[in-house]
Amino acid sequence: MRDELVVHGGRINLTELTQILNVDFSHIEAKVTELLNSDPTLQLVLGQLITRSYVDRLSEETNDKLQEAGQISISDLIKQYDLPPDFLQQAIAERLGTVIQGRADEFDRRIIFTESFISRHRAQIRGVLTSITRPTSIPALLNKYGFHERLFYTIVDEMNKAGQLRGTVVGGRTERAQYIPDIYAKAQSNYVESFYKQNGYLEYDTLLRLGITDSKAYIKKLMKKEPLLYLSTCCCGAPLEEQIEAAIEEDLSSDGWVDIMPLLPSVFSKSDASQILQRCLKRLCQEKALVCCDSIVVSSAFIENCTKFFDELLTSKAEEAANYKPTIITEEMFEKKGKAEAPDVSQAGRQAKKVERRIKAATGAKGGGAQGRETKTKAVKKKGGRGKAEDDEDDDDVGKKPGRQEIEFMTVEEMEEVLQSRLQNMDCPDELVTAIAEQIHRPLSCQFQAAVQSLLVATFAKESSSRRKTHDELSEKVNGLVSNIKLFEKGIALFSDDVKEQLTKHLLKTVCTDVSHLLIGYLAVENGATITDEKPFTVERRSNLISSITDSVNAKALANSLNGSKLEEFHGHLDKMLEQCQVLIRKVDKKKERQIVFSHRMALGEQLKDEQDAAMILHLAVLLLFHIYTQCMLHASGKFVPQIIAFLKGYVSEEQQEMLSNCQTLVIKQITADRDASVNKEEVAAELLYLLPKVKELALNTKKGGANNEK
């Protein structure tokens, strides 16, 4: 194997040894391992046995090529010698400076140069860069003179550190890199400084034509001590700003206006003028002055004078609007006048809307009459709760929100016509007149709305006492019903889930429906509807009333919750409805709760004493017994009597339970006697005549804490 290695020049593949020596590969592999352990000059690289002498000879050949070409790369050697890059790079790195006379590139260790090659390139680069008198692209120099890119930047950095170059490289090592000689940079700076001294500003496009790409950075570096204002197209100096400030001061002192565009060079844009104005006004402490059309400064006194042109029009239009077009009255106006007037605000506002709807229905509503009013009402429905709607109405913002009906004072175009006629002698440009009209439109509209609302407040203040009385009556009724609902819930909670669900539905269809009808009817009246007690409160009528409410989201949600089976959902929508109606639910204390429960028990007893109908006697009796034993009120119809009797099984004696069950059976027979011929009516009537007094006596005489209850 050693002989074959020598014959092949110090490098041989193990597969070739297998064929030459005619020995199995495993034996060759084992012997090679022994050779590697015993001889440190041997290496196994990618299945090839290589001696150190071969590597030395490879290095000598590489050095010859390097001295001939001046540079060589590891990639070329890999292709030539078919060896791995890591092995070759390590072998060459160990022999750099000894066998191989050269040095590796600092940024790419796979490229090797000779000192003579580097010196020749340094001399060429120094000569080329020294002869340049204007900015030149580095990639163009590399292509023209064939410089190696990495070596070029390395040599330029070394020459800059040594002070051998009179210029700088800008743009980094990218395609935009440029070499700018010092002589050109000095000429640039001299031109820029001279232009600034003469004109008081510097244009970015001018610097770009001089070859300066980052204009702002260049100006900041060149003029560190100058207080410059950097704009979108140019930068402005202090002298120009002082000229603008003087013009603005003169304008503000004379209560007039001034356009600074004629005072600025033509390169300045509208946005530049706006920035200069804002800075000057801030420096002059005149932030209240109005900037129109980006370049015109108008004094606040001039704006106030323009506003006064509309005083007479505003007063006359407010009186006309108050007479024929009532608008929304907000609580905010009363808060400004004093808290003492605040309670009447919402009522007055609702009355104002009521009158407004009636006027629209009679005069301008589509279709006429009540149908016309309903059409307009539907068109102005709002989303969200009553609270949010009132917050929107409390806002003095003139911008109209969807569905909000407000009276407009004048349009911007109409204001422009008035201003044009009053400012004819001042040579105001059309753009300025338009800007002033837009500026005063909102304050005048708010002032107009306030004037109309003040007139309406005076008109409807007389009717506030009756409306407050109606609201107090509603509050009392709703408080009583809500208290009963909460007490009924305690009784329902004692039953099993299936019975509890049925009782909850019954409560929703009865007492909860009564509360809902009271609130919906109140809101409908406040929105202009007319309600008479002669008509029953049907589902269809309820839907019609809801459609007449401007903000009907809460009313719809409350009405829909009556068809469910969860009191939590009903209470959630009820709270929103109470907030919309401004009804406060008073908290019931223990003493008040006991009074309500006792009154309910007394009412059941009195009704039971005077009742003669068998089914009603049994119904009232089981309700009263439930009340006595549980101390809870229960709201249930006659169909729940069997469930209540079953519940009382744990409280009454067996004899009493049997009596109640027999009475229930007899009542059912009496009710079905007309349809069932097998039932003896006289016998049933006789038995009921015997049992009913006992049932009454049991219900009326039973006291809490009887023997069976204690058991």
Side-chain angles (χ1 to χ4, degrees):
M1 289 174 61
R2 287 182 180 276
D3 294 340
E4 291 298 332
L5 188 58
V6 172
V7 171
H8 286 80
R11 174 182 176 183
I12 189 170
N13 198 307
L14 298 186
T15 55
E16 293 182 13
L17 279 175
T18 303
Q19 297 174 359
I20 295 171
L21 301 179
N22 198 19
V23 178
D24 190 67
F25 183 78
S26 59
H27 298 293
I28 295 294
E29 193 173 21
K31 291 300 180 181
V32 167
T33 303
E34 293 179 7
L35 286 173
L36 292 174
N37 292 333
S38 60
D39 191 350
T41 62
L42 297 178
Q43 298 182 65
L44 183 64
V45 180
L46 295 180
Q48 300 179 77
L49 195 60
I50 298 176
T51 63
R52 182 177 297 173
S53 59
Y54 174 80
V55 178
D56 292 339
R57 189 166 61 255
L58 183 147
S59 301
E60 292 173 358
E61 293 176 1
T62 301
N63 184 58
D64 294 340
K65 293 180 180 179
L66 177 61
Q67 300 303 323
E68 181 181 352
Q71 64 172 339
I72 194 170
S73 66
I74 299 297
S75 57
D76 295 336
L77 298 177
I78 292 171
K79 294 177 182 178
Q80 181 179 353
Y81 294 104
D82 191 22
L83 289 172
D86 295 338
F87 172 76
L88 270 177
Q89 192 164 351
Q90 181 182 359
I92 290 174
E94 292 174 353
R95 292 163 178 77
L96 275 178
T98 55
V99 179
I100 301 175
Q101 300 298 321
R103 71 175 187 181
D105 187 6
E106 294 181 1
F107 298 97
D108 190 355
R109 308 296 297 180
R110 294 173 298 176
I111 299 178
I112 303 169
F113 304 104
T114 62
E115 290 296 337
S116 59
F117 182 82
I118 295 173
S119 300
R120 186 168 64 253
H121 267 65
R122 181 180 287 108
Q124 291 176 350
I125 292 170
R126 186 190 303 115
V128 170
L129 297 182
T130 304
S131 63
I132 293 176
T133 58
R134 59 183 179 82
T136 305
S137 172
I138 297 297
L141 292 177
L142 297 177
N143 293 333
K144 184 175 181 180
Y145 296 101
F147 295 138
H148 189 276
E149 182 178 0
R150 294 184 180 276
L151 183 60
F152 176 85
Y153 285 113
T154 302
I155 292 174
V156 169
D157 290 341
E158 292 176 354
M159 294 172 69
N160 273 329
K161 292 177 182 178
Q164 298 176 357
L165 285 180
R166 300 298 179 184
T168 55
V169 176
V170 296
R173 302 189 177 193
T174 63
E175 295 180 355
R176 297 183 179 180
Q178 282 188 327
Y179 176 75
I180 301 178
D182 290 346
I183 186 173
Y184 182 84
K186 187 176 182 180
Q188 258 185 349
S189 61
N190 291 337
Y191 174 81
V192 172
E193 290 176 352
S194 175
F195 185 90
Y196 174 73
K197 289 179 181 179
Q198 293 177 4
N199 300 281
Y201 72 95
L202 289 172
E203 186 183 6
Y204 300 146
D205 289 343
T206 302
L207 299 183
L208 186 61
R209 288 192 293 270
L210 293 176
I212 302 171
T213 54
D214 192 351
S215 303
K216 290 185 180 180
Y218 178 81
I219 296 173
K220 290 178 182 179
K221 182 179 179 182
L222 182 64
M223 300 181 177
K224 298 179 181 179
K225 298 181 180 180
E226 288 288 337
L228 299 175
L229 174 61
Y230 293 92
L231 307 172
S232 59
T233 60
C234 57
C235 65
C236 176
L240 194 56
E241 287 189 56
E242 292 172 359
Q243 183 182 354
I244 301 300
E245 287 179 8
I248 293 175
E249 283 181 326
E250 183 181 355
D251 158 57
L252 298 180
S253 62
S254 61
D255 296 339
W257 59 274
V258 63
D259 187 358
I260 67 168
M261 284 305 291
L263 306 177
L264 295 174
S266 59
V267 299
F268 282 72
S269 64
K270 285 278 188 179
S271 61
D272 296 337
S274 177
Q275 293 183 52
I276 294 174
L277 281 180
Q278 296 297 340
R279 179 164 171 169
C280 292
L281 291 174
K282 186 175 181 181
R283 191 178 298 170
L284 294 171
C285 299
Q286 295 289 344
E287 289 87 350
K288 292 184 178 179
L290 176 64
V291 178
C292 299
C293 309
D294 294 331
S295 62
I296 301 177
V297 182
V298 185
S299 64
S300 55
F302 185 81
I303 300 295
E304 291 177 4
N305 293 334
C306 292
T307 305
K308 293 178 181 178
F309 297 156
F310 298 89
D311 288 347
E312 295 181 1
L313 280 172
L314 190 144
T315 302
S316 61
K317 282 181 173 288
E319 293 176 353
E320 180 183 353
N323 291 331
Y324 299 105
K325 298 179 180 178
T327 187
I328 300 170
I329 301 177
T330 63
E331 294 183 7
E332 185 175 343
M333 295 186 59
F334 282 95
E335 290 174 1
K336 294 177 182 177
K337 295 181 180 180
K339 294 183 178 179
E341 299 177 7
D344 297 339
V345 177
S346 59
Q347 301 292 339
R350 285 190 285 271
Q351 186 67 16
K353 291 188 284 184
K354 179 178 178 181
V355 174
E356 181 180 5
R357 284 181 175 80
R358 287 175 177 172
I359 292 173
K360 289 181 180 179
T363 59
K366 186 175 181 181
Q371 181 61 35
R373 182 178 67 249
E374 289 181 4
T375 303
K376 297 300 287 185
T377 302
K378 291 180 181 178
V380 296
K381 285 184 181 178
K382 297 180 184 177
K383 295 184 178 180
R386 172 72 177 178
K388 178 170 176 52
E390 289 178 354
D391 291 341
D392 292 342
E393 292 172 359
D394 289 343
D395 192 0
D396 283 340
D397 190 356
V398 180
K400 291 186 174 63
K401 299 180 181 180
R404 179 169 175 174
Q405 297 292 330
E406 287 189 350
I407 309 167
E408 187 176 16
F409 171 48
M410 294 179 73
T411 63
V412 176
E413 292 75 12
E414 291 172 343
M415 289 185 178
E416 286 183 38
E417 294 178 1
V418 175
L419 291 174
Q420 288 282 10
S421 61
R422 301 297 293 270
L423 298 175
Q424 288 180 353
N425 300 328
M426 299 191 66
D427 296 330
C428 294
D430 294 341
E431 296 83 0
L432 177 59
V433 174
T434 302
I436 294 175
E438 292 174 351
Q439 178 70 18
I440 65 177
H441 179 265
R442 176 187 175 88
L444 285 176
S445 297
C446 293
Q447 186 178 348
F448 173 74
Q449 293 289 336
V452 175
Q453 289 172 345
S454 298
L455 293 172
L456 288 173
V457 169
T459 302
F460 296 116
K462 299 178 182 179
E463 304 176 12
S464 60
S465 59
S466 61
R467 290 190 294 271
R468 185 165 56 252
K469 181 180 179 181
T470 302
H471 187 269
D472 292 342
E473 292 176 354
L474 171 73
S475 180
E476 288 298 326
K477 291 180 182 179
V478 171
N479 269 279
L481 290 173
V482 171
S483 300
N484 288 341
I485 291 171
K486 292 181 178 179
L487 293 175
F488 288 144
E489 286 185 63
K490 293 182 179 180
I492 292 174
L494 299 176
F495 287 88
S496 59
D497 292 341
D498 54 343
V499 179
K500 186 190 300 183
E501 182 178 357
Q502 296 177 26
L503 288 171
T504 300
K505 290 182 178 179
H506 177 68
L507 184 61
L508 286 169
K509 293 294 184 183
T510 52
V511 184
C512 295
T513 300
D514 294 340
V515 176
S516 304
H517 288 173
L518 281 174
L519 296 174
I520 292 171
Y522 174 77
L523 283 182
V525 170
E526 291 301 309
N527 282 269
T530 302
I531 297 180
T532 57
D533 296 333
E534 293 138 6
K535 295 182 181 179
F537 217 112
T538 61
V539 176
E540 182 180 358
R541 187 184 179 201
R542 181 175 68 196
S543 300
N544 292 335
L545 290 176
I546 290 175
S547 65
S548 68
I549 300 174
T550 302
D551 187 0
S552 61
V553 176
N554 294 331
K556 288 180 180 179
L558 182 64
N560 292 334
S561 67
L562 299 176
N563 299 323
S565 60
K566 294 183 180 179
L567 286 170
E568 294 81 1
E569 182 181 356
F570 168 77
H571 283 303
H573 296 301
L574 178 64
D575 291 341
K576 295 179 181 178
M577 195 68 172
L578 291 171
E579 182 181 356
Q580 185 174 353
C581 295
Q582 298 180 348
V583 174
L584 179 65
I585 298 299
R586 296 183 294 273
K587 186 177 181 180
V588 180
D589 55 13
K590 294 294 184 181
K591 182 179 179 180
K592 181 67 174 177
E593 183 177 327
R594 286 195 295 269
Q595 291 176 355
I596 296 174
V597 173
F598 180 77
S599 299
H600 183 73
R601 176 180 174 181
M602 290 297 100
L604 288 176
E606 291 298 325
Q607 189 177 356
L608 180 59
K609 288 178 183 178
D610 301 333
E611 188 59 55
Q612 299 299 323
D613 183 70
M616 198 63 191
I617 290 174
L618 179 61
H619 183 198
L620 293 171
V622 295
L623 287 177
L624 187 57
L625 288 172
F626 178 89
H627 190 293
I628 293 171
Y629 286 119
T630 63
Q631 292 301 301
C632 292
M633 295 165 52
L634 181 65
H635 182 71
S637 62
K639 70 176 183 179
F640 294 102
V641 169
Q643 288 85 344
I644 301 174
I645 293 175
F647 176 83
L648 292 174
K649 186 177 181 180
Y651 295 89
V652 299
S653 63
E654 293 181 1
E655 181 182 352
Q656 293 169 341
Q657 175 72 19
E658 183 179 358
M659 179 179 63
L660 292 174
S661 300
N662 291 339
C663 187
Q664 174 193 344
T665 304
L666 291 172
V667 168
I668 294 173
K669 287 183 178 181
Q670 187 185 45
I671 294 173
T672 60
D674 294 335
R675 299 190 302 271
D676 190 356
S678 62
V679 177
N680 190 337
K681 295 183 180 180
E682 296 179 357
E683 183 180 346
V684 170
E687 291 182 12
L688 282 174
L689 187 62
Y690 171 75
L691 278 178
L692 288 176
K694 292 186 176 182
V695 171
K696 275 190 178 184
E697 183 182 0
L698 173 63
L700 294 173
N701 297 332
T702 299
K703 305 296 182 182
K704 181 182 178 183
N708 198 52
N709 188 33
E710 291 179 358
K711 179 181 176 181

